[in-house]
Amino acid sequence: MTTTKDDGFSLLKRFIEQTLRIQCSNYKEDYIKRRLLSRMRSTSTTTYEEYLKYLHEHPPELENLRNALTINVTEFFRDADVYDLIRKEVLPALFRGRKTIRIWCAGCSTGEEPYSLAMILSDLMAADKTLSGQIFATDIDEVVLKKAKDGIYPEKSMGKLTDTQIHRHFTKLPDGNYQVKPHLQELIRFRPHDLMSGQPVSRFLDMISCRNVTIYFTEKQKDELARTFHSALVPGGIYVMGKTEYLGREVEGLFSPINSIQKIYTKKD
């Protein structure tokens, strides 16, 4: 039977924070423990102390642990109906009030989400040369952030993209992978950022997309993040959440729903 001790848990958390640069306090404790137990089973260790010793003796396990903790599950145009609304209603409405818009994609993982937004933005800019935009894409994990910045994806990642989108926005490499073309990369600034810092990546933002990130946060952390987003948005700015996420009671008054099913909100002043 697996046994765990809080002493070992504290030591292991400290090691993770120092070695992997992942702030365990940003996640619910139960979530951290579940992820650790999955790796402990895989490595046949039964206590946190044993697993910590295993990490010291088997450095390749560090990457397995990183992947288990960060769960970078993402894809291009994940939840297509959300992106349809962004394409047909949200961004055109923002552009009616101004010629340039600024978007923050928070918790961008390996980059599929900001590149999806960049494809929509690029198409709108191609149709009207007077329009322009900038996307700030951030993540606390600098390993996945580098992958996002490189913009190279396997063929299986192209499944939700049309042939037109692939031809327009990607270059097929000799090894069969696909690389994002420069015109998309130029729209995005990738930066490391800790969502729990209390500081937004920028101010006067027109839209913030933070999808499927806060499901791992405590209620207090979710509320603090909602306040940070509210302060960073311009009046009438847009906040897009993941479909399974929600605004806590203490902060729901900060935003009005544009589409409550797709979890798209506008900032209340």
Side-chain angles (χ1 to χ4, degrees):
M1 182 177 176
T2 299
T3 60
T4 55
K5 296 178 183 176
D6 282 340
D7 299 355
F9 181 58
S10 298
L11 287 171
L12 187 50
K13 281 198 302 181
R14 194 174 308 128
F15 175 80
I16 290 168
E17 291 179 347
Q18 292 173 349
T19 308
L20 298 181
R21 304 292 188 212
I22 293 173
Q23 294 300 313
C24 294
S25 59
N26 286 354
Y27 301 93
K28 296 176 184 176
E29 188 170 291
D30 286 347
Y31 166 78
I32 294 286
K33 287 183 175 179
R34 286 198 306 272
R35 294 290 138 194
L36 287 173
L37 286 172
S38 73
R39 292 311 311 156
M40 288 162 65
R41 292 190 192 100
S42 298
T43 56
S44 299
T45 54
T46 58
T47 67
Y48 294 132
E49 291 95 334
E50 282 183 25
Y51 184 59
L52 181 56
K53 182 181 178 184
Y54 186 93
L55 285 168
H56 283 297
E57 295 173 351
H58 303 81
E61 173 62 15
L62 284 168
E63 192 60 26
N64 296 329
L65 177 58
R66 180 194 298 279
N67 292 333
L69 289 172
T70 54
I71 312 187
N72 296 300
V73 177
T74 185
E75 60 185 359
F76 292 109
F77 295 102
R78 183 181 183 184
D79 299 323
D81 43 3
V82 175
Y83 284 97
D84 283 343
L85 265 175
I86 291 172
R87 177 188 294 108
K88 295 173 183 176
E89 298 180 23
V90 175
L91 293 192
L94 288 175
F95 273 127
R96 279 196 289 273
R98 67 223 73 179
K99 288 297 183 181
T100 185
I101 61 173
R102 304 168 79 239
I103 299 171
W104 178 13
C105 182
C108 70
S109 187
T110 46
E112 287 88 339
E113 182 176 353
Y115 284 126
S116 297
L117 292 171
M119 286 183 230
I120 298 172
L121 194 55
S122 177
D123 290 343
L124 291 172
M125 290 165 55
D128 184 345
K129 303 295 185 184
T130 67
L131 303 180
S132 64
Q134 180 78 67
I135 298 171
F136 300 96
T138 66
D139 202 281
I140 195 171
D141 186 339
E142 295 193 39
V143 173
V144 298
L145 204 58
K146 184 183 183 305
K147 291 179 182 178
K149 193 171 184 178
D150 291 343
I152 298 174
Y153 300 94
E155 186 172 6
K156 65 181 181 180
S157 294
M158 301 290 112
K160 285 195 173 182
L161 301 179
T162 65
D163 290 343
T164 301
Q165 287 172 324
I166 294 172
H167 177 75
R168 174 165 157 70
H169 300 299
F170 294 84
T171 300
K172 189 168 185 179
L173 302 175
D175 62 4
N177 290 324
Y178 289 79
Q179 182 160 33
V180 176
K181 289 185 176 179
H183 71 271
L184 278 196
Q185 292 180 315
E186 289 166 3
L187 291 174
I188 306 173
R189 294 181 185 174
F190 290 100
R191 296 179 181 176
H193 181 269
D194 180 357
L195 287 175
M196 288 296 100
S197 67
Q199 296 297 320
V201 70
S202 187
R203 301 275 180 184
F204 307 109
L205 296 162
D206 299 287
M207 177 174 139
I208 295 174
S209 176
C210 184
R211 307 185 64 238
N212 309 303
V213 175
T214 67
I215 51 176
Y216 308 116
F217 290 5
T218 66
E219 296 304 311
K220 181 181 178 184
Q221 288 169 335
K222 290 177 187 178
D223 290 350
E224 289 172 353
L225 190 59
R227 292 187 185 97
T228 298
F229 288 163
H230 183 270
S231 71
L233 286 165
V234 297
I238 304 298
Y239 175 25
V240 185
M241 305 179 72
K243 281 193 166 185
T244 61
E245 295 171 313
Y246 58 89
L247 289 167
R249 288 183 179 178
E250 289 191 15
V251 295
E252 61 185 358
L254 298 176
F255 300 91
S256 298
I258 291 177
N259 187 305
S260 55
I261 295 175
Q262 309 305 342
K263 298 297 179 72
I264 299 177
Y265 300 84
T266 184
K267 172 182 175 175
K268 281 186 183 178
D269 292 336

